[in-house]
Amino acid sequence: MSLFEYRLPELHNMLHNKEVSVSELTEESLSVIARRDGDIHAFLTLNEEGARATARSLDDKLASGESRGLLFGLPAGIKDNIVTKGLRTTCASQFLTNFRPIYDATVTAMLRQADAVTIGKLNMDEFAMGGSNENSSFGVVRNPWDLERVPGGSSGGSAASVAAGEVFFALGSDTGGSIRQPASYCGVVGFKPTYGLVSRYGLVAFASSLDQIGPVTRNVEDSAYVLQAIAGYDPKDSTSAKVDIPDYLSALTGDITGLRIAVPKEYIGEGVDASVRESVLAALKVLEGLGAVWEEVSLPHTEYAVAAYYLLSSSEASSNLARFDGVRYGARVDEGGGLLELYLNSRSRGFGPEVKRRIMLGTYALSSGYYDAYYLKAQKVRTLIKQDFDEVFKKYDVVIGPTAPTTAFKLGSQTEDPLTMYLNDILTIPVSLAGIPAVSIPCGLADGLPVGLQIIGREFDETTVLRVAHAFEQNTEHHKQRPQL
């Protein structure tokens, strides 16, 4: 049995009982990466020397009987838009190809406090802009279930590394579904917390009102462990929420008797593959058997979510990425011309096509002649989408549907059609616009590829989301299915 098949509590006991050492866990992770990542390309930067040094230090800590953190000794991958002190952070962009931060993101520091081992930085769509991980300037990530298919994006490296058994967990960022959609495609658990629950300090900004860091794991219990370690108020983040952090592990009771589930008709209707719909309906039957009840409801403004999201996120991106000009941030292309030519050359060569597309769209939407017609109207639609969820949650405990309308698609099949690519996020975007928590968990296979079940909760009600996901997981075998690498 591979060490990666054990749950975190089991590994904690094994470490405590001296059945395994942190160095052995770390070497196992590095060994799997050496064997598999040439095909998958989940990692952009490996921290071999640093990981081994941390492992030795933690083994000494274990031997001396010192207190240990919640994630003690566990090898982890970190998405490459989360800054790590002294460890290259590129956002998968040529603009930051040699950027080595001089400070840690808050979540990176919290992982260190929890005694995790940072194995390296994970591939992604450039500046987190994309839904397939084909926009990385360092090469695509491949889905471990089928190397000819995408792993999803933008946190494709995070999902693929966990699915391939390269790390015990990973951190990703979710702006419009960038944790949940790749988790669905790769058959792992991806959790997007409520906006403000996890600090964004040190996350390279794409769309500041939407970005949120969250865990990617193999099972729900592990997700609760990681969330417990990274959630909390941070004075360095102006959007961080001052809320009490509950014991997420205690929520995993398995009891969902009387739970009220809303199933939006917009989430299981036209555009959703029949095989995906069947998997979701089968999952609802499992939950019914555990004592829950479900009814079909409507979230009427769902159809406007994609348009509103791309206007808002692109507008925020055009503002956030203005600092990358070859002077203040990023690689400089100086060919002896004036300042404007320096800006032009640096940005045109530093950014990839998708980033340029979104900067142009956002700049247009924010321009004086179009601000009211596009940006302001999109903000109003965002409010309506949030109100749709608020209305449903007056009667129901969770909202459930598929995470993505299809399973993972073929590499290259949608690169020439940005609109079709954007529509892959139609079921995750409304949650991000509303700022509420959601998790994607495996709920079956369709033609040999994973299908994700999305469970959505009220604002700061992560405990209910985790409880429902864990109850389903404990009564099915879907989370135990692995790609044949």
Side-chain angles (χ1 to χ4, degrees):
M1 183 174 176
S2 166
L3 289 169
F4 286 94
E5 296 300 325
Y6 291 99
R7 295 177 295 109
L8 298 196
E10 295 172 325
L11 287 167
H12 286 168
N13 289 333
M14 292 168 68
L15 286 163
H16 180 75
N17 295 329
K18 308 294 194 297
E19 296 172 34
V20 68
S21 69
V22 179
S23 292
E24 287 173 324
L25 291 178
T26 301
E27 291 302 327
E28 177 69 9
S29 178
L30 292 171
S31 174
V32 174
I33 292 168
R35 294 198 311 269
R36 296 178 177 173
D37 207 57
D39 291 328
I40 297 168
H41 197 212
F43 279 87
L44 291 179
T45 302
L46 275 180
N47 182 36
E48 294 184 69
E49 185 178 332
R52 288 185 172 117
T54 300
R56 289 193 296 269
S57 173
L58 293 176
D59 280 332
D60 291 342
K61 189 175 185 178
L62 185 64
S64 66
E66 292 181 54
S67 60
R68 299 182 296 278
L70 188 62
L71 304 175
F72 182 83
L74 298 175
I78 299 176
K79 187 176 179 179
D80 207 26
N81 61 344
I82 300 171
V83 302
T84 43
K85 185 177 180 180
L87 186 61
R88 192 174 74 135
T89 301
T90 71
C91 293
S93 175
Q94 293 299 313
F95 232 129
L96 294 174
T97 186
N98 292 313
F99 175 50
R100 283 175 170 75
I102 59 173
Y103 70 100
D104 272 328
T106 296
V107 289
T108 309
M110 294 175 89
L111 289 188
R112 184 177 290 111
Q113 292 167 8
D115 290 330
V117 179
T118 299
I119 292 293
K121 306 301 290 292
L122 294 161
N123 206 347
M124 55 183 281
D125 285 299
E126 185 181 5
F127 284 102
M129 299 182 192
S132 66
N133 226 136
E134 294 173 285
N135 294 324
S136 169
S137 71
F138 298 104
V140 302
V141 179
R142 296 178 181 271
N143 193 319
W145 288 83
D146 181 348
L147 296 178
E148 297 304 312
R149 293 182 184 269
V150 303
S154 62
S155 304
S158 301
S161 66
V162 174
E166 296 181 335
V167 288
F168 288 90
F169 71 91
L171 293 186
S173 68
D174 192 307
T175 305
S178 291
I179 288 174
R180 291 161 287 152
Q181 185 240 40
S184 175
Y185 286 177
C186 292
V188 293
V189 175
F191 199 102
K192 186 204 87 72
T194 304
Y195 181 79
L197 184 72
V198 177
S199 173
R200 293 188 303 109
Y201 179 77
L203 173 68
V204 179
F206 161 20
S208 302
S209 74
L210 295 159
D211 299 338
Q212 185 64 170
I213 296 170
V216 179
T217 60
R218 284 203 168 191
N219 58 69
V220 174
E221 187 174 16
D222 290 1
S223 187
Y225 264 91
V226 180
L227 184 62
Q228 196 78 57
I230 64 174
Y233 173 70
D234 179 14
K236 296 177 182 176
D237 176 7
S238 63
T239 61
S240 184
K242 289 185 177 180
V243 294
D244 293 331
I245 304 301
D247 182 354
Y248 296 120
L249 295 171
S250 67
L252 309 182
T253 63
D255 181 13
I256 58 169
T257 304
L259 185 90
R260 296 161 300 175
I261 300 171
V263 180
K265 63 182 182 182
E266 293 83 2
Y267 285 29
I268 55 174
E270 185 180 353
V272 177
D273 276 7
S275 57
V276 171
R277 186 184 302 111
E278 288 168 10
S279 293
V280 170
L281 293 175
L284 289 168
K285 286 185 179 179
V286 171
L287 295 171
E288 267 188 320
L290 296 174
V293 294
W294 68 274
E295 294 177 347
E296 192 172 283
V297 299
S298 178
L299 295 172
H301 295 97
T302 298
E303 64 178 300
Y304 309 113
V306 172
Y309 169 81
Y310 279 100
L311 283 167
L312 295 174
S313 64
S314 297
S315 296
E316 293 184 26
S318 74
S319 176
N320 281 325
L321 270 62
R323 72 194 75 174
F324 296 96
D325 56 13
V327 177
R328 290 169 291 182
Y329 284 91
R332 176 182 297 198
V333 181
D334 189 351
E335 297 179 342
L339 182 62
L340 290 179
E341 187 175 333
L342 170 67
Y343 289 163
L344 174 64
N345 290 335
S346 297
R347 288 172 68 83
S348 63
R349 298 185 198 178
F351 291 137
E354 183 61 28
V355 176
K356 292 176 186 176
R357 179 184 291 119
R358 299 199 194 192
I359 289 174
M360 293 293 289
L361 173 61
T363 303
Y364 180 83
L366 290 174
S367 61
S368 60
Y370 300 98
Y371 180 92
D372 288 351
Y374 294 108
Y375 181 78
L376 186 60
K377 185 169 287 187
Q379 288 285 28
K380 292 178 179 179
V381 171
R382 182 179 191 173
T383 299
L384 293 174
I385 290 169
K386 177 70 165 64
Q387 290 173 349
D388 285 349
F389 280 109
D390 290 343
E391 195 63 32
V392 167
F393 282 126
K394 288 179 181 178
K395 183 178 178 182
Y396 300 94
D397 300 302
V398 291
V399 174
I400 288 182
T403 306
T406 67
T407 55
F409 49 90
K410 291 270 190 179
L411 286 161
S413 63
Q414 297 183 10
T415 51
E416 301 302 317
D417 188 355
L419 182 58
T420 298
M421 183 79 78
Y422 294 168
L423 289 172
N424 290 314
D425 295 333
I426 192 169
L427 303 178
T428 54
I429 280 173
V431 177
S432 296
L433 290 172
I436 53 181
V439 67
S440 177
I441 60 175
C443 70
L445 296 177
D447 298 323
L449 296 170
V451 176
L453 181 74
Q454 184 174 208
I455 303 169
I456 306 163
R458 296 183 182 89
E459 195 173 59
F460 297 111
D461 191 15
E462 278 76 6
T463 52
T464 299
V465 174
L466 288 165
R467 178 163 57 92
V468 177
H470 184 256
F472 175 79
E473 187 180 83
Q474 293 304 296
N475 289 274
T476 58
E477 299 291 315
H478 304 305
H479 65 290
K480 296 181 180 179
Q481 295 172 317
R482 300 284 180 259
Q484 299 300 309
L485 290 160

